[in-house]
Amino acid sequence: MEDRVRVVIAEDSVLLREGLTRLLTDRGHDVVAGVGDGNALIKTITELDAQDELPDVVVADVRMPPTHTDEGVRAAVQLRKAHPGLGVLVLSQYVEERYATELLAGSSHGVGYLLKDRVAEVREFVDAVVRVAQGGTALDPEVVAQLLGRSRKQDVLAGLTPREREVLGLMAEGRTNSAIARQLVVSDGAVEKHVSNIFLKLGLSPSDGDHRRVLAVLTYLNS
């Protein structure tokens, strides 16, 4: 299949790890390794890189052994620094703003943060894995809501209308303009106008290319 990707899964729950593997392989993707802690994840990626077989994306739990605090996200941040082309999608039981912000603080390419409940929506989950593997962004709506809600206190949002904030939240989830239009029950043209206004108000020029969609969200988070 055209969008076939190679995945490494880091999850200490064997049942969930096997379940994620089944979801992805049933849809034609290759799960090249599965590990249960952050150190094993880093070791596996290092070994695959040495063999010139770096995967397209890592799917990792935020919390893993030995302390079950932040081993997963720490490994993810480290891997993003060491391998800028590697997509990283982290899964969390609930929104942890500090970890989400830390993960998003680096490059805007190939990053995702989803709540584990989202895995139950199989198509959305698999689409998110592929999108991150291809250099895109996938943020859970709850993550977006909390991060943007916190950022609303910042002056950078003062110039945006409520509708523009709503559009930005949907952009951050990785939705296309057409998908946003369907969600808001408006025309594609109306969404394009809102998006253009957002870019203008945030000072993102056309030279920033397609990544303006991600930069728009990062502007909020870093304000």
Side-chain angles (χ1 to χ4, degrees):
M1 49 189 287
E2 184 178 353
D3 292 333
R4 185 171 186 167
V5 297
R6 300 176 69 250
V7 187
V8 168
I9 298 174
E11 166 60 59
D12 62 294
S13 166
V14 176
L15 288 177
L16 181 53
R17 188 166 70 236
E18 292 300 319
L20 294 175
T21 299
R22 182 66 179 270
L23 285 180
L24 292 167
T25 56
D26 281 355
R27 284 153 185 81
H29 302 294
D30 297 324
V31 177
V32 298
V35 299
D37 62 74
N39 290 335
L41 172 59
I42 292 173
K43 180 181 178 182
T44 296
I45 295 299
T46 300
E47 291 174 349
L48 289 171
D49 186 41
Q51 300 166 16
D52 198 25
E53 295 182 357
L54 194 68
D56 300 302
V57 61
V58 166
V59 177
D61 191 357
V62 166
R63 301 187 175 202
M64 288 193 291
T67 68
H68 293 279
T69 54
D70 60 359
E71 284 82 0
V73 74
R74 293 291 179 192
V77 170
Q78 182 175 334
L79 288 173
R80 279 175 58 76
K81 291 179 180 178
H83 308 283
L86 175 66
V88 173
L89 174 62
V90 300
L91 303 177
S92 181
Q93 195 68 41
Y94 50 88
V95 179
E96 300 178 86
E97 292 185 17
R98 177 168 64 89
Y99 298 151
T101 303
E102 183 174 6
L103 186 68
L104 292 165
S107 169
S108 60
H109 303 274
V111 62
Y113 189 116
L114 296 180
L115 297 184
K116 286 187 175 180
D117 289 345
R118 198 67 52 189
V119 177
E121 300 174 21
V122 176
R123 182 172 180 178
E124 288 190 22
F125 169 70
V126 175
D127 286 348
V129 172
V130 173
R131 188 160 64 248
V132 171
Q134 295 176 342
T137 306
L139 298 181
D140 194 281
E142 290 298 323
V143 175
V144 174
Q146 288 202 28
L147 294 178
L148 293 185
R150 180 189 62 192
S151 298
R152 284 194 178 97
K153 300 177 182 178
Q154 305 297 328
D155 291 340
V156 72
L157 291 180
L160 291 186
T161 67
R163 176 63 91 181
E164 288 165 353
R165 292 173 182 170
E166 190 174 11
V167 169
L168 178 57
L170 294 171
M171 286 166 55
E173 293 172 25
R175 298 176 188 261
T176 64
N177 285 1
S178 295
I180 294 173
R182 290 194 297 272
Q183 177 73 19
L184 300 180
V185 194
V186 298
S187 68
D188 287 3
V191 172
E192 290 173 4
K193 183 176 180 180
H194 288 311
V195 172
S196 295
N197 287 339
I198 290 169
F199 292 156
L200 179 63
K201 292 176 180 179
L202 295 183
L204 299 173
S205 69
S207 62
D208 292 315
D210 293 338
H211 299 298
R212 288 190 296 175
R213 298 181 78 86
V214 177
L215 291 174
V217 177
L218 294 180
T219 297
Y220 281 105
L221 302 183
N222 294 326
S223 64

